[in-house]
Amino acid sequence: MAARGHAADTPALRVRDLEVELGRGTRRVVAVDRLSFEVAAGETLAIVGESGCGKSMTALGVLRLLPGASARMRATELTLGEIDLLSLSPEELRRLRGDRIAMIFQEPMTSLNPVLTVERQITETLRVHRQLGRSAARARALELLHAVRIPDPERRLQQYPFELSGGMRQRVMIAAAVSCNPDVLIADEPTTALDVTVQAQILEVLLDLKRQRGMALVLITHDLGVVAQTAQRVVVMYAGRKVEEARVRDLFANPRHPYTRGLMGSMPRLGASQGDGPRGRLPEMAGTVPVLDRPAPGCAFAPRCALADARCTREAPPLVAFEDGHTAACWRADAVIEAAHGVD
Amino acid sequence: MASTEPVLEVRDLVKHFAVRRSGWFGARAIVHAVDGVSFVLRRAETLAIVGESGSGKSTVGRMIVGLTPPTAGSVHLMGQRIDQLGRRKMRPLRRHLQLIFQDPYASLNPRMTAGRIVGEPLGNFVTESAAERRDRTAALLSRVGLGAQYLDRHPHQFSGGQRQRLGIARAIATRPTVVVCDEPVSALDVSVQAQVINLLVDLQAEFGMSYLFIAHDLGVVEHVSDRTAVMYLGRLVEIAQTRALFRAPQHPYTQALMASVPLPDPTKPRLTLAVEGEVPSAIAPPPGCRFHTRCPHAKPVCRTEVPPLRVIAPGHEAACHLLSG
């Protein structure tokens, strides 16, 4: 099925200056800080970062699914194709979710209803959003289970989530999420809880569905391997902010932010033992991800950054554009490149 | 560097759990968690056990440290059989065999201070004054990168990485000969993971401990281990020098496992589907080679006969009918 028609230059999802705030008063935490990104139909955008960087809060903020009174979101723009999500009523939003924009989570057990059969999990969405009758919905559910390549789909329809393996649950959740052909699918760590052989299968299913349906896929992950093998573009987040964005090839060939470079360096790579010489130490980034309730004025990464100078601890660096849509928020971005070439 | 002296040996370890299939009156079923695993860990060596969920790798670790009794087989620590020793007889040996858990939070007593958590293990084996113990404990904490200011803090006041450092300090406090590390870095973020891996490698160089390193992350395993054993559904399918194993994996499962890892390099070929399906249930494991239901090369013999581990190159063993000449 082709992507639904909007003007070629309208992204499937556009987010401008998204802010997510948790808690109040002295316990106030800015979980997402003026984050902007867009993703086109048929494109995979990865949002990568470590725990606490704000990547899941970004997803919940976009879907306006933040937990009640304790969390607030703001944005200057939040559009799904031509639809302005900020102007919709809660009821209108609810109708859109699961239909034009859908989400899948790391642990399907928490988002699948434990007392509903697989058939009901999938047809519920279809019957609500598409007003399909029972048998039409059932036929569609079966079709979807085939599409996510679940073994023995007829039998699965009558099973409950607890009867399925983790990989099969994730397939069911994907089937339910794409049942109404959403324009945008947000997948939050969809394979993190899975074994590596099953992860490869699930990523394959997601990418196939994206290609066939022309969906925009926002893939939230901590795994740079998954990013490299699935995405066209990447947003790197640190402490609630976007610190770098680039096309995948450019990011891996030429990371501009010291945090991105640190992440890549500290990850033990398959095949690394095949070089000559003894096993070396992994390059470390000192310290840990900052706690966001005590924001410092400068760059949030400065305390861990080997290149930081006085300005870095004083002033937060703005996002600066380099070539080909590559942006990075670092006062020392040029030094990063020099340091890298000095080492190479 | 590793010597050839074995410090830990397991022979034909088996673990079967009895479970009920469903409900209170359901039929009893046997989970074949581990089925005949043997290996040797040498002095100052790191032997990794890698596998997916249901492989039995953690159960092997738990049997070695005595957290779960083996159904059959034996565990030998420095030449002495330990799997049937009672608590009392095990006590003098306990200090030589320590464990580092995946989730340091669950393994640290929340009511104890860091000082007690780290000071207590060796306190069980030596007599010392309170001041001596405090000095020794502070030195240990500082060795794992936690300053003396942490002595009086409780586990909840530490970050995940700091808690794992605390767990490591506790494990090395008794100067053990063997440390079983069960997924020691898999709960940590990448940047913290690198710090903890480096710490483990440094401590090994300093104290000459042997690590049995149980993990699912192949990149981590390749980085830390001298030799690697691959488990699938309760059985060892391949064991070799790490460098040789990662250069040329021989068992079809090991090959599939390695091909499934997404490489952090967009210029490398896209993911190829290495293997279909999921790990079958350990309640009714497939007969013959347990991997035959997913193996792209399976022959009739693979469905009926269990392939034994065979030497296929010096120091390299694999259990596969296709490799038997």
Side-chain angles (χ1 to χ4, degrees), chain B residues 100-112 117 153-168 170 182-184 187-188:
Chain B
I100 296 171
F101 294 90
Q102 168 176 3
D103 178 4
Y105 204 40
S107 68
L108 299 170
N109 186 331
R111 293 168 194 239
M112 285 195 189
I117 286 170
R153 294 198 198 167
H154 291 83
H156 74 268
Q157 293 167 295
F158 290 78
S159 70
Q162 288 174 327
R163 280 198 285 263
Q164 196 52 290
R165 289 173 192 272
L166 190 56
I168 292 168
R170 177 181 59 180
D182 188 4
E183 299 274 14
L188 304 175

Side-chain angles (χ1 to χ4, degrees), chain B residues 285-307 321:
Chain B
C289 172
R290 289 189 176 176
F291 187 59
H292 85 251
T293 54
R294 302 172 75 195
C295 183
H297 316 292
K299 298 186 298 187
V301 61
C302 305
R303 293 180 198 112
T304 52
E305 271 176 59
V306 178
H321 291 302

Side-chain angles (χ1 to χ4, degrees), chain A residues 51 165 195 271 279 281 285, chain B residues 53 189 195 202 222-223 278:
Chain A
S51 42
S165 69
D195 281 322
R279 179 169 64 213
R281 289 170 60 85
M285 274 187 273
Chain B
S53 33
D189 276 319
Q195 299 167 4
D202 292 347
E222 182 181 10
H223 182 80
E278 298 182 25

